Amino acid sequence: MWDTPYPWLIPLLLVLAAVFLYPILQIVRLSFTDANMIQVGYDYTLESYLRMFTLPGFLPMIGTTAFFVFFSVVFQLFAGFIVALLIVQGEKMNLRGTVVVRTSVLVAWAIPGVVIGVIWGMLYNETDAGIINYALSTIGLGPVSFLSDPTMALLSVTLANIWRGTAFSMILMYAGLKTVSKDVLEAAVIDGASALQRMKNVILPAIAPIILVNLIIISIDTFNTFDMVMALTGGGPGNSTEVIALSIYTAIFREFNLGEGAATAVVLLVVNVVMTLVYLKVLGRRGEE
Amino acid sequence: MKKSISIGMSMLVIAGLAGCSGDNPSAEEKETLTWYTTAGYSPEAPSAATSDYISENIESFEKEHPDMNIQLSLQSSNIDEAMARLLEQANTGRAPDMAAIDGYMLDRYKEYLQPLDELMEERGLDPDDYLPFAEKVLRGDDGKIYGLYMSTDTRMLYYNKEVIEEPPSTWEEVIEVSNEVQKEGYEGLVLPLGIGEGTSVTSLWPLFWSQGGKLVDKEGNPVFGKGENREAMIRTFETLDRAQEEGAVSKRMASSGRENDANGEVAAGDTAMFLGGSWQAVTIEEILGDDFENWEVASLPTIEEDDPTVSSAGGWAWGIFTDDPEKKEAAFDFLMDSFISEEGMGEFTSIQGSLPARTSVYESDSYNPGAFNDEFLTSLETEAEARPGASKYNEISVQLQTAISQVISGSKEPEQAVDDAWEIVTFGESGESE
């Protein structure tokens, strides 16, 4: 029995079960209760789910989250790739300062979400004290309602999140680009492939697995983002920037509604798992081809 | 040997956690008095003056009570979270011996709190000395007093009298005055109308209450969306919406949820009036320097001229959970000396820049009144009401903040917003949403 690796995995399984599986099961269990943080005891019920799916607010929340995640992920992937490509090209050309660029981009990734929310809050401030609005006023424009107009607020929050996530995306893309074989690239050049052709037929296929991992990580990260949104808009104005993760926080910590918060958390978990499976299935298969 | 040491250690830890509520192992050993408080009311307070004041009080308490040892545990800076945790502890019999409780929530804890009438009488503390709203909060259904209100605050209209000669007393006048001052390059009225508790207590409840509206009934069930209450709430929303549409209130208020957000607006220099809390006077004074002389406060504007002015008061109270007579008395002594006696409350609220919850303290030599002290006291005595302590309150408040923010940002009409909030709050309650 000791010849197999399984006994050695037992401690890991125990730890995973205790810190990962157990909390998830608890959340699922709580989502079928009417538990709140003010009274002891609870009953098992489907009310939390019924409430969530039938009340006004659920569909707008899904819509807001979908917009936020879709545009965040697309632009983080794109911007991350462009920055990484620039750094790699810079290194190839022995340009000075590539390390500085890499490090300074990384700083964005190291700043806590709440701080990012506060910083962007200063930028977006709608009085003359707001940095962007002040800049606009010097050329006779503005003020722009960055945070008090429902549509602008969602755009503003998404833009701040793109800025925040680009750094991480860049790190992965950079790592991916560094693995592209120079020989193959040289061979492509000798074969007369144009820059676009090299990108399409050599670089992108080579880093496809990294792009997939990047896509999964930043998608999940964006779905789970609430700290930055909370600091920047608190979900407002109205609930125009209330993404699923923030709604969980509001339900549990501001309305003390544990059952409903847990039910929303289960929905978020299901969305994350389904999305990951779809990515793996669709993109993973393409990668193999 | 090792085993017995570790058992001994665990016993110690358990005894510490339970606040030694069981039998005292030995009369000579110190009893632990567990104290659950916010950082601001503890020796860990960010302000050095507060921290020194409380540390000194703990020291002198422990000198006077050599058999008692205060064990401090700090609350989360998220008040809602801290209060929920305290309730959970009380629910499961693990409550601390004494704790700081957000004033309006005291009602939720009354079944676990000790009545303090006898101790108050012994120390000559007359419940009638409390501000009317505070006494109402402290008194249980059985007529007994269940807490010690310490500090409070109220909401008022701050205005720059250089720009505004006569402060507006109705919303009709607010619109008029706002539009006038805007011609001179100033902002209209600044007030929180976004997501945050400041919106509820400063902008919504005073208007709603002054029309006789009730958020919850006596049993704590929501009623704000029924009958006359619904009418009053819709009128409150319509009034604020009209002010925004007529340009008296900027649309960007839909993204401001705290009273303190006005501080930044004042610092920007073009604010002529705002609705804010009494504690902001200190900050505004710091921001404006000598220009602060031009500022005054007035009662919050009402919808109709004949409506009574209502303000909302907040603040903190202390509750004693331990039923051990000795510890209860010790806890009472400590709280009384540090925060409740004329001297204690006077000194402490002066350091904090908050307002005393007892009327006599305003006359006390220990109290160092700040700007607008008389106006604040009048407001507290005649206008102030506390939020309902009902367990549904937080949900009601969050939903109505969201609703007004939707109205001001233009995504919903007042009636629709109020009805949607009502539907969410009363979901699943039979007959409620009809």
Side-chain angles (χ1 to χ4, degrees):
Chain A
M1 172 180 174
W2 294 102
D3 289 344
T4 68
Y6 299 112
W8 303 98
L9 290 176
I10 290 174
L12 177 68
L13 287 177
L14 287 178
V15 170
L16 279 182
V19 302
F20 192 67
L21 201 59
Y22 176 73
I24 290 180
L25 292 177
Q26 277 287 22
I27 288 286
V28 174
R29 189 177 66 82
L30 277 172
S31 73
F32 290 102
T33 69
D34 59 0
N36 68 47
M37 286 164 79
I38 296 174
Q39 285 139 343
V40 213
Y42 48 79
D43 296 317
Y44 285 92
T45 165
L46 284 174
E47 199 188 289
S48 298
Y49 287 97
L50 283 177
R51 227 183 114 94
M52 186 169 53
F53 292 128
T54 54
L55 283 179
F58 179 72
L59 283 180
M61 177 181 78
I62 296 294
T64 303
T65 311
F67 181 97
F68 178 67
V69 173
F70 179 78
F71 287 100
S72 292
V73 168
V74 167
F75 283 98
Q76 281 175 16
L77 267 188
F78 184 68
F81 181 72
I82 298 290
V83 177
L85 200 63
L86 286 175
I87 294 176
V88 170
Q89 289 300 324
E91 283 173 350
K92 262 191 208 158
M93 295 157 79
N94 287 325
L95 287 183
R96 278 189 187 180
T98 50
V99 177
V100 176
V101 174
R102 222 165 57 201
T103 320
S104 51
V105 174
L106 259 178
V107 170
W109 180 59
I111 302 174
V114 176
V115 179
I116 293 180
V118 173
I119 295 173
W120 280 85
M122 290 174 182
L123 288 170
Y124 287 142
N125 188 326
E126 291 169 30
T127 64
D128 290 343
I131 297 172
I132 300 181
N133 268 322
Y134 174 76
L136 287 174
S137 73
T138 55
I139 50 168
L141 295 175
V144 179
S145 313
F146 288 112
L147 300 177
S148 58
D149 178 77
T151 315
M152 276 307 291
L154 184 54
L155 284 174
S156 307
V157 168
T158 310
L159 179 66
N161 193 55
I162 293 170
W163 179 84
R164 177 195 195 186
T166 296
F168 179 75
S169 172
M170 181 278 285
I171 301 166
L172 285 187
M173 293 294 202
Y174 176 77
L177 287 174
K178 293 297 258 187
T179 63
V180 179
S181 157
K182 277 182 191 157
D183 300 346
V184 180
L185 273 176
E186 273 170 25
V189 173
I190 294 166
D191 287 348
S194 70
L196 264 182
Q197 283 171 325
R198 288 203 300 274
M199 173 67 70
K200 189 167 162 259
N201 300 321
V202 181
I203 298 177
L204 285 180
I207 65 167
I210 299 268
I211 295 181
L212 176 63
V213 171
N214 192 0
L215 187 63
I216 293 173
I217 294 177
I218 60 179
S219 300
I220 293 176
D221 255 4
T222 310
F223 264 112
N224 293 345
T225 294
F226 92 98
D227 47 359
M228 188 203 72
V229 185
M230 192 174 71
L232 191 53
T233 63
N239 41 13
S240 57
T241 55
E242 190 178 70
V243 290
I244 301 182
L246 184 62
S247 148
I248 298 171
Y249 177 86
T250 307
I252 297 179
F253 292 105
R254 296 198 59 214
E255 301 184 343
F256 299 158
N257 207 332
L258 204 52
E260 197 191 335
T264 320
V266 170
V267 169
L268 181 57
L269 178 70
V270 170
V271 168
N272 274 331
V273 169
V274 168
M275 183 194 60
T276 309
L277 291 178
V278 170
Y279 281 167
L280 283 175
K281 190 111 185 147
V282 177
L283 297 171
R285 200 193 307 136
R286 268 192 213 158
E288 278 164 26
E289 283 166 7
Chain B
M1 179 61 192
K2 242 184 188 172
K3 202 173 177 185
S4 65
I5 288 177
S6 70
I7 291 176
M9 294 275 281
S10 346
M11 293 297 284
L12 258 177
V13 171
I14 291 167
L17 287 176
C20 300
S21 53
D23 290 336
N24 197 352
S26 136
E28 279 172 30
E29 263 181 52
K30 278 193 176 184
E31 283 257 32
T32 304
L33 203 55
T34 51
W35 184 35
Y36 185 55
T37 180
T38 63
Y41 304 146
S42 79
E44 314 288 324
S47 124
T50 309
S51 156
D52 291 347
Y53 174 82
I54 296 176
S55 302
E56 278 164 24
N57 272 281
I58 293 178
E59 215 171 281
S60 66
F61 169 82
E62 289 182 341
K63 236 181 239 165
E64 277 171 40
H65 298 78
D67 54 335
M68 289 282 172
N69 188 17
I70 291 184
Q71 189 186 65
L72 170 76
S73 75
L74 288 184
Q75 295 176 359
S76 150
S77 57
N78 178 333
I79 299 171
D80 291 341
E81 208 179 307
M83 291 298 103
R85 190 172 158 229
L86 179 62
L87 200 58
E88 194 192 328
Q89 289 176 325
N91 273 332
T92 49
R94 295 177 292 118
D97 295 328
M98 53 181 176
I101 299 172
D102 194 348
Y104 82 95
M105 290 195 200
L106 197 84
D107 210 41
R108 296 181 197 169
Y109 301 84
K110 276 183 186 150
E111 58 179 301
Y112 310 103
L113 288 169
Q114 296 296 316
L116 303 171
D117 303 64
E118 283 174 24
L119 290 168
M120 282 169 71
E121 208 181 322
E122 273 174 35
R123 292 283 306 256
L125 176 58
D126 179 6
D128 289 343
D129 188 34
Y130 270 114
L131 290 162
F133 90 88
E135 196 199 334
K136 215 161 108 188
V137 168
L138 297 175
R139 224 176 260 287
D141 292 336
D142 55 4
K144 291 184 178 159
I145 298 282
Y146 283 90
L148 298 165
Y149 222 108
M150 164 176 59
S151 57
T152 183
D153 50 48
T154 183
R155 274 91 190 153
M156 298 201 84
L157 168 82
Y158 286 72
Y159 66 99
N160 182 343
K161 60 181 183 228
E162 267 199 333
V163 188
I164 297 165
E165 277 173 32
E166 195 62 37
S169 62
T170 63
W171 272 83
E172 202 63 52
E173 289 171 25
V174 166
I175 294 175
E176 215 173 283
V177 174
S178 280
N179 288 331
E180 268 171 38
V181 299
Q182 284 181 62
K183 284 178 204 152
E184 295 171 41
Y186 287 94
E187 283 285 336
L189 178 68
V190 169
L191 77 169
L193 290 171
I195 293 177
E197 187 62 12
T199 295
S200 304
V201 289
T202 306
S203 309
L204 296 180
W205 305 162
L207 276 184
F208 177 65
W209 286 336
S210 95
Q211 299 171 73
K214 293 259 175 297
L215 291 170
V216 295
D217 63 13
K218 276 194 181 134
E219 283 76 44
N221 301 312
V223 293
F224 73 87
K226 285 204 285 199
E228 288 179 358
N229 296 320
R230 176 174 174 272
E231 299 303 314
M233 191 58 84
I234 291 175
R235 232 167 132 232
T236 303
F237 273 50
E238 282 172 348
T239 304
L240 296 166
D241 186 35
R242 204 188 124 213
Q244 186 274 318
E245 280 183 353
E246 298 203 7
V249 167
S250 159
K251 207 173 176 180
R252 70 163 191 278
M253 296 306 147
S255 61
S256 144
R258 299 172 312 154
E259 294 92 340
N260 286 355
D261 290 342
N263 297 347
E265 304 265 345
V266 173
D270 46 11
T271 301
M273 57 176 172
F274 69 93
L275 303 190
S278 49
W279 67 91
Q280 284 173 264
V282 181
T283 320
I284 301 297
E285 193 171 359
E286 275 171 23
I287 293 173
L288 295 174
D290 292 343
D291 291 343
F292 183 68
E293 275 177 20
N294 300 325
W295 283 72
E296 283 288 348
V297 292
S299 294
L300 295 173
T302 54
I303 298 180
E304 298 288 343
E305 215 169 335
D306 307 335
D307 289 347
T309 312
V310 182
S311 170
S312 49
W316 285 77
W318 295 103
I320 297 179
F321 290 92
T322 176
D323 56 1
D324 176 327
E326 256 178 62
K327 286 168 71 172
K328 182 177 157 186
E329 205 177 327
F332 187 85
D333 282 348
F334 171 68
L335 298 173
M336 188 74 190
D337 292 339
S338 314
F339 309 105
I340 307 296
S341 66
E342 219 173 273
E343 205 186 333
M345 189 182 283
E347 257 188 74
F348 188 67
T349 50
S350 303
I351 295 173
Q352 287 266 307
S354 54
L355 299 168
R358 294 176 53 192
T359 36
S360 62
V361 177
Y362 286 82
E363 306 295 322
S364 155
D365 291 338
S366 319
Y367 178 59
N368 177 20
F372 314 131
N373 186 61
D374 297 344
E375 288 89 342
F376 291 151
L377 176 59
T378 312
S379 164
L380 282 168
E381 281 182 324
T382 59
E383 301 169 347
E385 273 194 39
R387 291 163 275 176
S391 59
K392 269 276 185 185
Y393 171 78
N394 297 75
E395 196 179 345
I396 295 173
S397 181
V398 170
Q399 290 306 331
L400 287 169
Q401 289 155 28
T402 310
I404 189 66
S405 176
Q406 287 169 329
V407 169
I408 299 297
S409 63
S411 50
K412 263 189 200 168
E413 289 301 316
E415 193 172 334
Q416 183 67 44
V418 170
D419 288 344
D420 282 354
W422 174 248
E423 192 189 341
I424 294 173
V425 169
T426 55
F427 182 85
E429 288 172 22
S430 52
E432 288 286 351
S433 45
E434 250 101 272

